[in-house]
Amino acid sequence: MLPAYRSAPGHPIHANRSVYPMHTRLTLFSIVVIVAALAALVPTLQLPGSADVSTFIGPQLWPLILLIALLAFSSWLLLDSRKRTHQTCATTDEAPSAASHSLSLAANRHWLMMAMTIAYTVLMQMIGFLLATVIFAVAISWLLGARHWGLIIATAVIAVVLIQGVFVFLLGIPLP
Amino acid sequence: MLDSFLAGLSVVLQPMNLLILTSAVFIGFIGGALPGISGVILVVILLPVTYGMEPTQAFMLLTAIYGSTVFSGLITAILYRAPGTPEAVMTSFDGYPMTQQGEAGKALGIGILSSAVGGLVGTIALIVCTPLLASVALKFSSPEYFALAILGLTVVASLGGRLILGLIGAAMGLFIATIGIDPLTGVSRYTFGNLNLSEGVGLIPVIVGLFAVSEVMKRSLDGEVHQPPTRVKVKIFDMPILRKIGVTLSRSSLLGVIIGILPGIGASTAAMVSYSETVRWSKHPEQFGKGAAEGIAAPESANNAAAMGALVPLFALGIPGSGTTAIILGAFIMHGLQPGPLFMMTSADLIYAVFAGLFIVNFMILAFSKPFIALFTRLLNVPYSVLGPIIIMCCIVGTYSVSNSMFDVWLMLGFGVLGYLLEKIDFPTVSIILGLVLGPIAESELRRTLSMSQGDLSILLSRPISATLLIISVVLLVAAIAVPLRKRARIRATASRS
Amino acid sequence: MSIKSCLIAGATGLTLIWGSSAMAEDTSDFPAGPLQFLVAAGAGGGTDNFARTVKPMLEKTLDTRITVINLPSASGALAHQRTANSKADGHTLDFASSTLVTSLAAGQNPTGLDQLTPVARMQSDVMTLIVDPDKYPDFAAFKAHAEANPGKVIIGGTHAASPDRMAFLSFADASGLDMTFIPYDEEGSVAANVMGGNIDGMFGEISSVLSYMESGEMMPILVFAEERLSNFPDIPTTVENGWDLTDGNERGIFVNAETPDTIVDALENALKTVYDSEEYQQYEERVNLHYREGWLGSTDYRQKLEENYELYKRLLENT
């Protein structure tokens, strides 16, 4: 019996390349949500209740209800995922692929990209927008596979021209 | 009225004014397509420029920009899953899968047509029924707004994907919406002393992060996939498609106008609600999210119609119907004009010129969109190593420019990571947006309702409009949950029998 | 290098240093560069209009360039904070309304009068109680209804820590009427609810209600002033009813408290020139802000603000 997972909108079904099957991920997710919701309960309980304020429902009630709902939903999800984990199936629709968790560049490109973007954002505030942009453009192009130097330079130039041109001249928006 | 309109038309058709309209449309096209820049920002930026202009020209410019940005957000939404404006978020839902399946041209064509049709319907409603619509708008008070928000939230059940994830997403979105200063009591919630959070988590950083940034992350992992160069042919007037989406277009445009005229609710909410209604009424709901034509037609016609609708209360009552129109109201006051109940009569020439301008703008969208889009589609063939960085940089600058805030940029990046991780579990991220947009309305209006009725909840059912909306919501929610459950039970029953 | 050139170099250097430090304190050189207006409100609103109207006039008076930046976050608290942290050279000006003090009293705005110096007040709007005339033709009718229905009368306004709410609290406090206040996010929503008959009234500035008066959709029935307004002799005042409530929404300009007095004075004089100009007076008439004298100099404005702050704190504590 196959676990029936409808593909979520916006994503053509493609084999997930990670080793972790869906139910494990969902278990993890539900645990994270539960923990986060419990953490959020702490400041929530410090908010003034309905009796203390002039409106009929105080600022505490709505978020409190939401947190309780979140706890309920994620608990359900947790139990459901654990149930499915224990159901052993002959076939799954996720083939563990050869590319397991390696530390290779290819498997972690997206994290590196995010790290670089974060660095760029910080850099922008330190050495100014233009210079940071040039560095970033070059770095990211290389990361994403551009090997031809002309292409990389082109990216940097286009980026700067485009952003300066459109944002500053055309729209008059101050840059960081 | 017809002669006033014709008089307005003749004003608009003067070369100088046409030039202004055209430039407005272009500026709107560019701004709307860039993630993070939307109608609000453009109008704010151009406000000072308009101070020195004649009122007629100034307001033609501002309203035309408003109308065209609502349209062009769909371009980047469909092509790169980076909605250029919040109004285009729902469009990326079915638009991007179409691009992934190589049907970008079809998607864009539907989007253009829907926007133009919705805009025309909205403009006609604006011209013909402003006083009538305005009195309808006045009947809406807190109970009705709450009921409307609830109706909008019930769509989470029909969004596709696992219901439980949608519920979690909506709850998360609703919770995130509570961050900030509580508008009713002034108490700070979850801000931890950070002034940047006191207005709450902005919609733009969340949208740009969850959709655009996470998609860039995903694409960067995919590496260089060498696709054959795709030529995107944009076809606007495609008869078979037109037949399919005709009903959706009319329904969504009307829905858009009605939602637009309500003060405080704008085009993005209209897009969401009409998308959900279309899914509900469709005979093949499972196709949505994978490239259904109606999935683009519904939000795009609704958002353009709503943008026009938002001008109704502005002109009839002096009350802005959305964020951008609030700024336009400020511009009116700066010029010494006071929109209000008498405005339609005292400044009829100005108003009808603006109406005529908007009418023309919709046609301009039809005419100018193709060449403009050609620019963007050519970019599809550019290798992602060039495109990716440019998209990221546009996202960063665009998000920063909303409130001159680096904090927003950090939020955007954070949501980008979150969005990427959520995709790994097939999470319907749009439910978070739904909660974030409708949350403030739902909570504040419920509390105001109770203040109005001294704590009596039955006011929601004793007022006809709110009662109707709530009953519909309950019915639809129950149906959305019960029907698949019953179907699955039946399948299981037949499976166990065999 | 010879001793002579060393001495010459040294002397030149010292002269330059002495000269530039002298110049730094010479306020006839103010402003030394472009100014920055931080508007504690969103684009398109009353305070924003105020700032943008003053901009070209001040540019001419001080012969400099000015950029305007909107910082509406936290009812303008961000603008106040940035001004308090800016260089104390008078080049960063905070354009704010009474919301500065109301949010200060409510604890939302941490930047107070110890960190900001008021330079001048330029606008003083008149607060009014506005109702649907079909429901309450005049104040007597309203008062009678409120007395007969304690707790049932609903008044609307914008935001929970705003001049509107202060007006409500002070009015309820002084008159003893038992009413409920509902804060809305935008003035438009409040007006819509009054016109739609969903709430009984609202507090608002007279400048914003004029067009509705002409059409009869809404009408002010009570003004917060010492004397009846000459253009509206039929509307009673709070004072003649025995209540000393005359506060309205005010708009003024603030700078970093550490700014030297000479610069503050220079700014005050420049702003007074702008205020007295024909152009500015015409603007006030155009937006209906001329019903009450707007100008208050730095010392007087500070005093008024401090009085207001005490009052608002007391009112808020009582809720």
Side-chain angles (χ1 to χ4, degrees):
Chain A
M1 184 177 57
L2 292 166
Y5 289 109
R6 263 193 295 168
S7 172
H11 299 285
I13 304 175
H14 61 265
N16 285 303
R17 266 173 289 172
S18 164
V19 180
Y20 304 109
M22 186 61 95
H23 31 262
T24 318
R25 289 186 222 170
L26 285 173
T27 315
L28 206 60
F29 173 69
S30 41
I31 294 180
V32 169
V33 175
I34 292 177
V35 170
L38 286 173
L41 266 181
V42 176
T44 311
L45 291 171
Q46 291 169 352
L47 291 174
S50 310
D52 304 334
V53 288
S54 45
T55 53
F56 274 90
I57 302 184
Q60 188 191 51
L61 190 61
W62 180 264
L64 195 60
I65 295 181
L66 289 174
L67 285 177
I68 295 178
L70 267 177
L71 284 170
F73 292 149
S74 37
S75 309
W76 189 94
L77 185 63
L78 183 65
L79 294 171
D80 183 79
S81 310
R82 305 289 294 153
K83 192 170 66 157
R84 290 183 203 260
T85 316
H86 290 148
Q87 285 167 344
T88 31
C89 291
T91 45
T92 63
D93 51 331
E94 297 161 79
S97 82
S100 48
H101 15 220
S102 64
L103 288 171
S104 77
L105 186 65
N108 288 305
R109 221 193 320 249
H110 49 311
W111 296 118
L112 280 175
M113 193 222 84
M114 180 47 77
M116 281 204 210
T117 311
I118 294 177
Y120 170 52
T121 311
V122 174
L123 215 58
M124 229 194 296
Q125 297 176 282
M126 295 200 300
I127 63 175
F129 180 75
L130 280 177
L131 196 53
T133 306
V134 172
I135 298 180
F136 176 72
V138 170
I140 287 283
S141 314
W142 179 85
L143 179 70
L144 292 181
R147 290 292 179 263
H148 194 246
W149 268 111
L151 207 56
I152 298 184
I153 305 279
T155 314
V157 171
I158 294 175
V160 175
V161 166
L162 190 68
I163 295 187
Q164 274 289 119
V166 172
F167 282 91
V168 178
F169 285 132
L170 218 53
L171 301 176
I173 301 172
L175 289 176
Chain B
M1 187 206 309
L2 191 56
D3 14 89
S4 318
F5 178 65
L6 289 175
L9 205 53
S10 64
V11 169
V12 168
L13 289 176
Q14 290 164 24
M16 187 61 196
N17 294 338
L18 273 180
L19 187 62
I20 292 184
L21 274 184
T22 317
S23 4
V25 168
F26 270 115
I27 297 177
F29 273 12
I30 297 178
L34 290 169
I37 311 260
S38 62
V40 180
I41 301 178
L42 284 178
V43 174
V44 168
I45 292 172
L46 286 167
L47 256 190
V49 172
T50 59
Y51 288 157
M53 295 167 78
E54 282 288 313
T56 313
Q57 297 177 326
F59 293 106
M60 274 190 348
L61 180 73
L62 292 175
T63 49
I65 289 185
Y66 180 38
S68 56
T69 48
V70 173
F71 152 70
S72 68
L74 69 83
I75 302 178
T76 38
I78 291 179
L79 291 177
Y80 310 116
R81 202 169 158 246
T85 59
E87 295 93 357
V89 171
M90 299 310 290
T91 317
S92 64
F93 224 40
D94 275 280
Y96 191 60
M98 276 182 130
T99 305
Q100 287 176 317
Q101 293 160 21
E103 295 185 315
K106 186 164 136 203
L108 288 167
I110 298 175
I112 298 172
L113 183 63
S114 313
S115 293
V117 168
L120 270 175
V121 169
T123 313
I124 293 178
L126 183 63
I127 296 175
V128 174
C129 342
T130 297
L132 177 66
L133 289 175
S135 57
V136 169
L138 283 183
K139 294 225 174 5
F140 273 71
S141 182
S142 303
E144 286 74 27
Y145 278 94
F146 174 68
L148 194 61
I150 295 293
L151 183 62
L153 283 169
T154 56
V155 78
V156 80
S158 14
L159 273 181
R162 297 189 63 192
L163 177 60
I164 187 74
L165 290 179
L167 288 174
I168 292 184
M172 278 171 67
L174 287 171
F175 183 76
I176 297 177
T178 61
I179 298 179
I181 293 186
D182 170 29
L184 292 184
T185 55
V187 171
S188 291
R189 296 194 284 197
Y190 314 111
T191 59
F192 306 112
N194 189 340
L195 275 183
N196 286 298
L197 280 176
S198 49
E199 292 284 297
V201 175
L203 190 58
I204 300 252
V206 175
I207 290 180
V208 178
L210 275 182
F211 289 95
V213 176
S214 66
E215 182 63 18
V216 174
M217 281 182 76
K218 192 151 97 80
R219 293 277 303 259
S220 50
L221 184 62
D222 288 345
E224 282 300 321
V225 178
H226 287 285
Q227 291 168 323
T230 40
R231 271 200 45 225
V232 176
K233 277 178 46 183
V234 180
K235 219 167 141 202
I236 303 182
F237 293 106
D238 190 331
M239 282 321 286
I241 295 187
L242 202 62
R243 256 188 293 261
K244 220 178 4 155
I245 60 176
V247 173
T248 308
L249 276 184
S250 6
R251 182 180 52 225
S252 302
S253 308
L254 284 174
L255 199 56
V257 172
I258 294 178
I259 295 185
I261 62 177
L262 301 176
I265 301 191
S268 5
T269 315
M272 276 185 200
V273 175
S274 86
Y275 183 88
S276 70
E277 293 312 310
T278 307
V279 171
R280 271 199 262 253
W281 289 99
S282 160
K283 299 199 183 56
H284 29 240
E286 67 289 339
Q287 277 183 10
F288 283 85
K290 303 201 184 63
E294 295 97 324
I296 300 179
E300 279 306 318
S301 51
N303 64 22
N304 278 73
M308 298 298 113
L311 292 169
V312 167
L314 178 64
F315 284 119
L317 301 169
I319 296 175
S322 72
T324 320
T325 40
I327 302 182
I328 297 183
L329 175 63
F332 272 115
I333 297 181
M334 269 308 291
H335 279 264
L337 300 165
Q338 267 279 14
L342 293 181
F343 194 51
M344 294 283 284
M345 285 183 269
T346 51
S347 305
D349 327 319
L350 172 72
I351 295 184
Y352 278 100
V354 170
F355 287 172
L358 288 171
F359 193 70
I360 301 278
V361 162
N362 287 306
F363 290 107
M364 283 190 176
I365 289 179
L366 276 176
F368 295 138
S369 52
K370 263 182 41 167
F372 188 74
I373 289 181
L375 261 172
F376 278 89
T377 53
R378 205 125 335 142
L379 290 177
L380 266 185
N381 293 329
V382 172
Y384 208 71
S385 60
V386 177
L387 210 51
I390 295 187
I391 294 181
I392 286 277
M393 283 186 270
C394 283
C395 287
I396 291 183
V397 181
T399 306
Y400 172 79
S401 55
V402 175
S403 337
N404 284 314
S405 154
M406 278 314 264
F407 185 77
D408 281 352
V409 177
W410 290 114
L411 272 180
M412 176 194 84
L413 293 177
F415 274 99
V417 176
L418 184 66
Y420 175 75
L421 292 172
L422 288 176
E423 307 246 325
K424 293 271 182 184
I425 54 174
D426 285 341
F427 191 92
T429 35
V430 89
S431 56
I432 301 183
I433 307 279
L434 198 64
L436 193 56
V437 170
L438 292 175
I441 302 176
E443 182 194 7
S444 300
E445 298 303 340
L446 177 62
R447 290 164 71 184
R448 289 195 186 110
T449 302
L450 288 175
S451 280
M452 279 170 74
S453 65
Q454 309 292 311
D456 186 1
L457 263 178
S458 70
I459 187 178
L460 288 167
L461 293 172
S462 56
R463 290 169 66 108
I465 305 182
S466 56
T468 321
L469 290 172
L470 281 175
I471 294 178
I472 297 180
S473 314
V474 171
V475 167
L476 289 172
L477 187 64
V478 167
I481 301 183
V483 167
L485 270 179
R486 234 184 319 153
K487 239 198 285 181
R488 243 193 286 170
R490 236 178 282 145
I491 295 177
R492 245 180 265 147
T494 32
S496 61
R497 245 182 278 140
S498 58
Chain C
M1 249 199 323
S2 69
I3 297 192
K4 202 158 94 169
S5 19
C6 278
L7 282 174
I8 296 180
T12 322
L14 281 172
T15 318
L16 281 172
I17 297 175
W18 176 79
S20 60
S21 65
M23 280 210 307
E25 284 171 2
D26 183 358
T27 54
S28 66
D29 257 10
F30 173 80
L35 300 183
Q36 203 181 61
F37 284 1
L38 297 183
V39 181
T47 313
D48 181 59
N49 285 347
F50 168 47
R52 293 184 192 273
T53 306
V54 169
K55 168 179 176 264
M57 299 180 198
L58 202 61
E59 273 178 339
K60 223 169 41 173
T61 311
L62 289 177
D63 191 23
T64 181
R65 270 176 33 240
I66 303 180
T67 33
V68 178
I69 301 184
N70 291 83
L71 292 171
S73 296
S75 303
L78 205 57
H80 308 320
Q81 193 187 51
R82 280 224 203 151
T83 312
N85 292 334
S86 66
K87 257 173 63 171
D89 57 4
H91 284 68
T92 308
L93 304 180
D94 185 355
F95 276 70
S97 66
S98 297
T99 313
L100 193 161
V101 201
T102 56
S103 58
L104 184 65
Q108 283 168 14
N109 166 27
T111 316
L113 294 173
D114 47 337
Q115 295 175 295
L116 292 175
T117 295
V119 179
R121 181 191 79 181
M122 287 173 81
Q123 294 182 357
S124 179
D125 208 341
V126 179
M127 181 68 78
T128 59
L129 174 63
I130 302 164
V131 299
D132 183 346
D134 294 332
K135 237 175 159 183
Y136 305 109
D138 61 17
F139 183 62
F142 177 81
K143 185 150 170 258
H145 180 93
E147 281 165 352
N149 300 287
K152 291 249 176 67
V153 172
I154 305 175
I155 306 278
T158 43
H159 303 307
S162 63
D164 296 346
R165 180 124 183 274
M166 297 304 145
F168 171 78
L169 289 174
S170 54
F171 177 64
D173 184 54
S175 65
L177 293 171
D178 183 7
M179 305 174 288
T180 313
F181 182 81
I182 299 186
Y184 291 85
D185 292 331
E186 305 158 352
E187 197 170 329
S189 308
V190 196
N193 275 296
V194 173
M195 286 196 277
N198 295 300
I199 60 178
D200 295 290
M202 64 184 260
F203 281 104
E205 310 295 327
I206 194 146
S207 58
S208 55
V209 84
L210 285 165
S211 62
Y212 300 110
M213 280 175 74
E214 282 177 51
S215 68
E217 303 256 4
M218 296 201 291
M219 192 67 107
I221 52 171
L222 184 70
V223 295
F224 282 46
E226 280 161 21
E227 285 173 5
R228 296 197 178 195
L229 300 176
S230 47
N231 294 46
F232 310 106
D234 296 330
I235 311 178
T237 67
T238 41
V239 173
E240 63 185 58
N241 272 291
W243 307 313
D244 182 20
L245 306 166
T246 52
D247 284 335
N249 195 5
E250 305 176 336
R251 299 201 178 91
I253 296 152
F254 298 76
V255 289
N256 187 335
E258 289 169 22
T259 314
D261 287 338
T262 40
I263 296 188
V264 176
D265 288 339
L267 271 173
E268 193 181 326
N269 291 333
L271 289 169
K272 187 74 170 41
T273 315
V274 169
Y275 182 79
D276 290 333
S277 71
E278 174 105 25
E279 231 185 307
Y280 184 79
Q281 292 296 322
Q282 277 177 358
Y283 150 73
E284 281 211 333
E285 254 198 77
R286 228 172 41 225
V287 296
N288 299 305
L289 277 170
H290 57 294
Y291 293 106
R292 193 188 273 173
E293 174 73 39
W295 178 264
L296 267 188
S298 177
T299 353
D300 293 331
Y301 191 25
R302 175 184 277 280
Q303 195 189 8
K304 181 117 204 325
L305 287 168
E306 282 170 0
E307 282 168 14
N308 285 350
Y309 174 67
E310 293 303 319
L311 172 65
Y312 299 152
K313 251 194 130 209
R314 182 177 66 78
L315 286 172
L316 282 172
E317 265 161 32
N318 288 343
T319 50

